[in-house]
Amino acid sequence: MEGGKPTLPLVYQAVQALYHDPDPAGKERASVWLGELQRSMYAWEISDQLLQLKQDVESCYFAAQTMKMKIQTSFYELPPETHTSLRDSLLSHIQNLKDLSPIIVTQLALAIADLALQMASWKGCVHTLIEKYSNDVSSMPFLIEILTVLPEEVHSRSLRIGANRRSEIIEDLAYYSTTVVTLLVTCAEKSGHDEKMLIKVFRCLGSWFNLGVLDNNFMASNQLLMILFQVLQRDETSTNLHEAASDCVCSALYAIENLAVHMPLAMQLFQGVLSLETAYHMAVAREDLDKVLNYCRIFTELSETFLEMTVRTPGQGMGDLRTLELLLICAGHPQYEVVEISFNFWYRLGENLYKMNDPALHRVFKPYIQRLLHSLARHCQLDPDHEGVPEDTDDFGEFRMRVSDLVKDVIFLVGSMECFSQLYSTLKEGNPPWEVTEAVLFIMAAIAKSIDPSQLIMKFLLCFNHESLIVTLKCLPPPLLVPSENNPTLTEVLEQVVLLPETVHIAVRYTSIELVGEMSEVIDRNPCMLDPVLNFLMKGLREKPLASVAAKAIHNICSVCRDHMAQHFQGLLNIARSLDSFALSTDAAVGLLKGTALVLARLPLEKIAECLNDLCAVQVMALRKLLAQDSSSGKLSDPTVWLDRLAVIFRHTNPIVENGQTHPCQKVIQEIWPVLSETLNAHQNDNRIVERCCRCLRFAVRCVGKGSASLLQPLVTQMVSVYQVYPHSCFLYLGSILVDEYGMEEGCRQGLLDMLQALCMPTFQLLEHPNGLRNHPDTVDDLFRLVTRFVQRSPVTLLSSTIIVHIIQCAIAATTLDHRDANCSVMKFVRDLIHTGVTNDHEDDFEIRKRLIGQVMEQHGQQLVTQLINTCCFCLPPYTLPDVAEVLWEIMVFDRPQLTDFHKQVTSAEECKQVCWAIREFTRLYR
């Protein structure tokens, strides 16, 4: 810190400014200055002095927080001989400040816990603390706070302690765990009406459960468990205490997931949770939603813990199906937030049963899934006074989406067809209100794709009575099957849906359109339905509230019914030409163009060029108009809408072209290139728009493949020219696409290598800045995608160039980069590079590749391996290690004989001289 150690009055003044200065700039200056202080060595002494002064809450909180942070991140700054005095000082501070503020106590408790975990010389810290403070009633709150955060901090990522030290700590905590629980029992029994103390006790117990060190048999018969369930059973328990007790039970249930090891405790918890059913009903009767949610959390955790036993031995012992009954009771609660808590359990149950594929088991669980689906259909109902279409983005809309996903995951246990027939049997004589009809249609849309229309008859009826659409679906019991000859087929269902009058509630029409979109496979098998379906969807497309969902349905139908939709291409083209006359979201508009492009690709080759030109014309004209306006006004307009639309057209126009045939899209893309080039040039300093231009060009190149050869030179020239001034990483990515397409063409290799060298120079300059790699991970990612493509398409060209040395040096430096995508690209480049010298793919250049890779390893092998080992130990997160392992594996395969020989010589040596010879011989390979 500049200027040396600051005075206490100056620190106090800065703290006051941080909390009380009315000027935001003053607060910011104080924050920056105090941050510098916290990072300095002076922070230790100043924090200690502020805590001793006990001047006010703000200064003490700053000091306690600073002390915690320093112990977490900078403990290495202190010599070992100061650790004991630091411990004694912290214990003194927490005792003196225990009544000032709970948040200060928590910060100091964390500091003490983090110190205990890192201070190897403090043996039996739990025993020391309990012995020192357990007889002092006034010290009990902060003692329990320390004992609560201590297990929580064991696995903290902020602490720099190794696995060996963590194992030692866990063993120590396990040894003293019964002492802690005994202390908590005493506190609970003496707490009387002190609710705050009981909450602290339950929090502490939950923390020790989470660490997984409590003795199973000891806890099974412990008084604290009984107190826990008594609190949960009492109707008068406060909300805060109820939540603390619920959290503790959930922690206990999570801790015993390995039931074989924890059977005594598991049995006690199982019976204890089952005893809460009456308390749940009482909470429902009192409309106490907080308690209801707590009970549902407990029931769900119980079901998840005993899931394996429930599936393997349903109805027997710990596989007691009353766990499912409890969840279904919760599913009957009128608030959808309650049933939503259990969703993860139902997902897991479906996953387990699907993997086991046992029809007998499916029959056992089928009634429970039927009841669940019935509840879900009810929960999906909109309010009767709801106006407009269903919302997707609010909380209830997100809940319905989760219901849709869950239904898709568990429907196999009941059968989609039976789902429909059950609803039919319960609703055929009724006249449900619109909100019931809409909810049933919503569930049906979730199920529609799981029905095989070639084999199944959908027992489903649609008819109209006033303004209601009667729908039948499997979700509701009882399962009364109707004779199949009286049931309409899927096409009849579709016929009724498309005849839906415009007078019904707009939400019903909205969900009906969704259903039609999901039934695209039915339409594909029954092309006679295409005209009425498209007429039905066009009505929706013209109405603002229904336009986007109708566009999505048309997109789905185009994707599945491409061949049948070819005859309707002119209609799709007319829609595309007037896209902005419809009230479509951006995604819906792009989706419609995607569907149109998919159908376009199925037209006869001789028609594709003209039709593609017509489809692109609107977007190209819009871009030209923007460029003209910008030129006259001097202001730049945003062209991204049109670029994105062109990109989706190019991406999905993939006609089948035989060898020797001219690609039908080639001429169109050549004609569009000038406007794309001009747009790129006009917006070259705007990274967002340049990215969109590059994306559009990428799909254009992919669309016609080698048919874009005439664009190669002008495109590369412009890329390199702009990149010299504005190094947008998307140019590197676009370059990788060009290498992928043309890298194996002999006549293009030198030009592509020149492109690479021209792009590399400004890239290296950018990455060589201080923290350049860390500040530009996208550039690292795209650079190594580009050079990896070169390795894959033309390795000898790259390995023979002068730029390869700089690329490898950059790769070695970038192996330390803690960025998932960037690091993955770097490792893939190194792995693929070495692999080219390992695999004999019968190409003529294998021996050349092997020799060149040998030269690379000779020059850079030692540095590379050293760097990889260091990064594994000190820089990279665990998820990157498989990528590093692949690189090391390739190095080993490439040099296996030398490595094996070296290992043998060293391990079989009988005197030091032999080891020295082996090392000398081995290092010669890399120096």
Side-chain angles (χ1 to χ4, degrees):
M1 193 171 187
E2 293 183 11
K5 177 185 171 184
T7 63
L8 282 179
L10 184 60
V11 176
Y12 182 75
Q13 184 182 344
V15 171
Q16 290 302 303
L18 179 66
Y19 287 102
H20 302 295
D21 193 329
D23 179 15
K27 283 181 180 286
E28 179 61 25
R29 285 194 298 272
S31 176
V32 171
W33 189 84
L34 289 170
E36 281 185 32
L37 171 62
Q38 287 182 319
R39 289 187 291 274
S40 73
M41 279 291 293
Y42 305 121
W44 295 102
E45 184 181 351
I46 287 173
S47 297
D48 187 58
Q49 291 173 345
L50 286 173
L51 290 168
Q52 285 177 1
L53 285 174
K54 196 180 176 180
Q55 196 156 357
D56 55 28
V57 172
E58 288 94 344
S59 62
C60 287
Y61 175 73
F62 169 75
Q65 185 191 47
T66 301
M67 194 66 84
K68 178 205 70 176
M69 188 189 78
K70 293 296 286 184
I71 291 172
Q72 281 185 345
T73 61
S74 307
F75 189 59
Y76 60 88
E77 293 178 349
L78 297 180
E81 59 269 19
T82 64
H83 294 175
T84 301
S85 60
L86 175 62
R87 177 195 67 188
D88 296 341
S89 177
L90 287 172
L91 291 174
S92 173
H93 290 321
I94 198 169
Q95 189 160 30
N96 294 334
L97 298 168
K98 62 180 182 288
D99 299 321
L100 186 60
S101 168
I103 58 172
I104 293 173
V105 171
T106 299
Q107 292 297 309
L108 288 172
L110 284 164
I112 292 165
D114 292 338
L115 175 65
L117 297 177
Q118 295 180 92
M119 185 176 165
S121 60
W122 188 1
K123 305 291 184 184
C125 63
V126 171
H127 177 72
T128 304
L129 292 167
I130 291 176
E131 193 175 57
K132 184 169 184 174
Y133 297 113
S134 60
N135 294 322
D136 179 9
V137 176
S138 67
S139 300
M140 198 61 68
F142 76 74
L143 172 61
I144 294 181
E145 186 69 22
I146 296 171
L147 294 175
T148 300
V149 299
L150 184 60
E152 293 173 349
E153 290 295 288
V154 169
H155 295 292
S156 169
R157 293 186 177 181
S158 302
L159 297 181
R160 298 179 178 179
I161 55 178
N164 290 334
R165 174 61 183 158
R166 278 196 167 87
S167 298
E168 182 185 330
I169 292 163
I170 292 170
E171 285 180 16
D172 191 58
L173 295 181
Y175 182 79
Y176 290 107
S177 61
T178 53
T179 307
V180 173
V181 175
T182 302
L183 172 71
L184 295 178
V185 172
T186 303
C187 289
E189 290 175 340
K190 291 182 178 179
S191 64
H193 298 291
D194 187 354
E195 182 182 293
K196 289 184 178 179
M197 177 55 73
L198 208 50
I199 289 173
K200 284 180 176 294
V201 167
F202 291 157
R203 276 190 60 230
C204 186
L205 180 62
S207 177
W208 285 75
F209 267 127
N210 286 333
L211 189 61
V213 296
L214 295 181
D215 181 82
N216 171 53
N217 292 305
F218 178 75
M219 288 308 303
S221 58
N222 194 273
Q223 181 74 11
L224 203 51
L225 214 57
M226 187 177 74
I227 295 172
L228 199 58
F229 283 108
Q230 285 175 347
V231 166
L232 288 170
Q233 288 166 349
R234 282 202 300 265
D235 184 38
E236 63 273 16
T237 299
S238 71
T239 300
N240 290 339
L241 181 57
H242 197 276
E243 183 174 6
S246 300
D247 289 343
C248 186
V249 171
C250 288
S251 295
L253 288 166
Y254 185 80
I256 62 160
E257 208 149 24
N258 185 356
L259 293 175
V261 179
H262 300 98
M263 192 54 72
L265 179 56
M267 292 176 68
Q268 292 299 318
L269 289 170
F270 189 87
Q271 295 303 323
V273 174
L274 290 181
S275 72
L276 299 178
E277 182 181 345
T278 302
Y280 168 83
H281 288 299
M282 184 62 71
V284 173
R286 291 186 179 277
E287 298 184 356
D288 191 335
L289 183 59
D290 289 332
K291 287 186 179 179
V292 166
L293 292 169
N294 286 336
Y295 288 125
C296 190
R297 284 197 296 126
I298 293 171
F299 297 157
T300 301
E301 199 65 59
L302 177 76
S303 300
E304 295 220 41
T305 296
F306 290 89
L307 173 61
E308 188 175 341
M309 296 195 75
T310 304
V311 170
R312 296 197 179 279
T313 56
Q316 302 173 31
M318 293 291 184
D320 196 324
L321 292 174
R322 280 182 291 173
T323 55
L324 301 191
E325 290 290 350
L326 288 174
L327 292 187
L328 289 172
I329 289 170
C330 293
H333 192 277
Q335 297 291 327
Y336 71 83
E337 295 92 343
V338 179
V339 68
E340 193 171 19
I341 290 172
S342 66
F343 277 13
N344 190 60
F345 166 76
W346 295 112
Y347 283 127
R348 287 184 60 199
L349 176 65
E351 184 181 31
N352 275 266
L353 292 171
Y354 185 81
K355 287 178 179 177
M356 294 177 76
N357 194 24
D358 183 343
L361 267 181
H362 291 189
R363 286 192 293 272
V364 171
F365 290 96
K366 179 177 176 179
Y368 296 95
I369 300 301
Q370 288 174 326
R371 290 165 59 191
L372 173 67
L373 292 172
H374 169 70
S375 295
L376 294 177
R378 181 173 51 78
H379 280 298
C380 284
Q381 292 175 16
L382 298 166
D383 290 334
D385 58 354
H386 178 88
E387 296 181 358
V389 301
E391 292 290 338
D392 290 337
T393 54
D394 61 7
D395 289 343
F396 185 58
E398 290 178 2
F399 166 76
R400 289 189 10 141
M401 290 300 102
R402 290 195 66 196
V403 168
S404 177
D405 291 339
L406 178 57
V407 169
K408 291 170 185 174
D409 282 354
V410 300
I411 193 63
F412 73 93
L413 289 166
V414 180
S416 304
M417 182 175 121
E418 189 173 335
C419 237
F420 285 95
S421 67
Q422 286 177 0
L423 249 184
Y424 166 62
S425 65
T426 55
L427 296 183
K428 64 177 180 178
E429 296 177 359
N431 181 20
W434 74 264
E435 67 271 14
V436 174
T437 296
E438 191 279 334
V440 169
L441 280 167
F442 176 78
I443 299 293
M444 179 187 177
I447 295 170
K449 282 189 177 178
S450 65
I451 301 173
D452 184 351
S454 66
Q455 298 177 11
L456 300 178
I457 299 295
M458 182 172 17
K459 295 168 183 165
F460 175 82
L461 179 67
L462 293 167
C463 61
F464 304 102
N465 190 345
H466 302 292
E467 291 190 355
S468 294
L469 176 65
I470 301 177
V471 188
T472 63
L473 189 59
K474 138 205 164 205
C475 303
L476 300 176
L480 304 175
L481 295 181
V482 181
S484 59
E485 61 270 15
N486 295 329
N487 288 308
T489 62
L490 286 167
T491 53
E492 290 176 271
V493 172
L494 209 48
E495 286 169 359
Q496 294 296 325
V497 172
V498 299
L499 291 174
L500 187 64
E502 296 180 23
T503 52
V504 299
H505 195 289
I506 196 164
V508 177
R509 293 179 62 202
Y510 181 95
T511 306
S512 298
I513 291 171
E514 280 190 321
L515 173 59
V516 170
E518 293 298 308
M519 296 181 73
S520 51
E521 291 182 8
V522 179
I523 299 166
D524 191 43
R525 287 185 171 88
N526 299 274
C528 61
M529 288 300 303
L530 202 50
D531 284 344
V533 163
L534 290 175
N535 289 334
F536 172 70
L537 295 178
M538 280 305 299
K539 290 178 184 176
L541 196 63
R542 295 188 186 99
E543 293 187 46
K544 183 176 180 179
L546 304 176
S548 290
V549 71
K552 183 181 176 183
I554 293 172
H555 166 215
N556 286 349
I557 291 168
C558 288
S559 300
V560 176
C561 314
R562 299 184 200 182
D563 292 325
H564 298 307
M565 283 296 293
Q567 60 182 308
H568 295 277
F569 181 78
Q570 192 58 46
L572 292 172
L573 186 59
N574 291 337
I575 294 172
R577 282 171 171 161
S578 54
L579 210 53
D580 293 314
S581 67
F582 303 108
L584 298 174
S585 67
T586 301
D587 288 345
V590 169
L592 256 178
L593 288 174
K594 175 184 173 181
T596 305
L598 289 170
V599 175
L600 169 62
R602 296 301 176 94
L603 298 180
L605 284 183
E606 63 273 12
K607 291 187 177 181
I608 288 178
E610 180 186 353
C611 293
L612 177 62
N613 188 63
D614 291 344
L615 187 58
C616 294
V618 175
Q619 340 305 327
V620 174
M621 286 173 61
L623 286 174
R624 285 187 177 134
K625 186 177 178 182
L626 287 181
L627 288 167
Q629 289 174 353
D630 295 347
S631 177
S632 59
S633 68
K635 295 180 180 179
L636 294 178
S637 305
D638 190 344
T640 54
V641 169
W642 314 106
L643 292 170
D644 288 348
R645 291 181 182 182
L646 278 176
V648 79
I649 293 169
F650 295 147
R651 183 176 189 175
H652 298 285
T653 304
N654 298 309
I656 300 171
V657 181
E658 301 293 337
N659 286 336
Q661 289 182 309
T662 301
H663 199 288
C665 305
Q666 182 177 325
K667 184 181 177 184
V668 178
I669 288 174
Q670 286 172 348
E671 291 172 352
I672 291 174
W673 157 248
V675 74
L676 292 177
S677 174
E678 196 176 343
T679 302
L680 174 57
N681 210 45
H683 297 274
Q684 59 183 274
N685 63 338
D686 189 323
N687 183 65
R688 182 179 64 91
I689 295 175
V690 171
E691 278 190 350
R692 296 308 228 291
C693 286
C694 287
R695 183 171 177 269
C696 188
L697 288 164
R698 163 192 163 196
F699 290 125
V701 170
R702 289 295 198 197
C703 175
V704 294
K706 293 179 177 57
S708 61
S710 61
L711 301 181
L712 191 55
Q713 185 174 353
L715 174 55
V716 168
T717 301
Q718 186 170 8
M719 285 168 55
V720 169
S721 173
V722 175
Y723 193 77
Q724 304 298 319
V725 184
Y726 303 105
H728 304 299
S729 71
C730 53
F731 285 123
L732 300 172
Y733 188 87
L734 182 56
S736 73
I737 302 300
L738 297 177
V739 173
D740 192 40
E741 289 291 339
Y742 296 100
M744 297 182 76
E745 299 293 312
E746 187 64 40
C748 299
R749 287 175 176 172
Q750 187 56 48
L752 291 171
L753 181 62
D754 293 341
M755 174 195 75
L756 173 64
Q757 291 175 323
L759 294 173
C760 275
M761 288 303 105
T763 303
F764 293 152
Q765 291 172 8
L766 183 69
L767 298 180
E768 284 168 0
H769 288 161
N771 294 317
L773 293 168
R774 184 171 294 278
N775 293 339
H776 303 283
D778 291 343
T779 299
V780 176
D781 183 17
D782 291 333
L783 170 66
F784 286 99
R785 284 176 184 269
L786 168 57
V787 291
T788 299
R789 290 292 193 191
F790 241 112
V791 169
Q792 294 166 345
R793 293 291 179 263
S794 186
V796 174
T797 305
L798 180 63
L799 287 165
S800 304
S801 69
T802 55
I803 197 70
I804 187 63
V805 173
H806 304 287
I807 292 171
I808 291 171
Q809 289 173 344
C810 182
I812 292 172
T815 55
T816 62
L817 186 58
D818 181 9
H819 184 280
R820 184 185 292 267
D821 293 338
N823 192 276
C824 182
S825 292
V826 172
M827 295 300 175
K828 180 167 176 55
F829 161 70
V830 179
R831 182 257 175 207
D832 285 6
L833 183 73
I834 299 168
H835 188 71
T836 58
V838 173
T839 303
N840 188 350
D841 47 14
H842 304 293
E843 294 287 338
D844 295 339
D845 62 357
F846 173 67
E847 290 302 326
I848 301 174
R849 282 188 276 132
K850 187 175 180 180
R851 175 176 56 79
L852 291 171
I853 293 298
Q855 292 172 1
V856 167
M857 294 305 296
E858 186 175 343
Q859 294 174 25
H860 306 285
Q862 181 182 14
Q863 185 187 1
L864 174 61
V865 172
T866 303
Q867 183 84 323
L868 289 173
I869 298 301
N870 284 334
T871 56
C872 287
C873 294
F874 305 113
C875 302
L876 299 181
Y879 64 77
T880 63
L881 297 185
D883 294 332
V884 180
E886 286 194 6
V887 175
L888 291 172
W889 170 261
E890 291 297 336
I891 294 172
M892 188 199 72
V893 172
F894 184 78
D895 267 349
R896 187 191 291 269
Q898 293 92 333
L899 289 168
T900 305
D901 187 48
F902 170 69
H903 180 268
K904 182 179 178 181
Q905 288 180 44
V906 172
T907 55
S908 63
E910 296 181 357
E911 55 181 334
C912 181
K913 192 181 295 184
Q914 291 175 309
V915 176
C916 182
W917 289 339
I919 293 173
R920 191 169 289 159
E921 184 65 22
F922 183 70
T923 55
R924 190 179 61 79
L925 298 170
Y926 298 98
R927 290 182 177 176

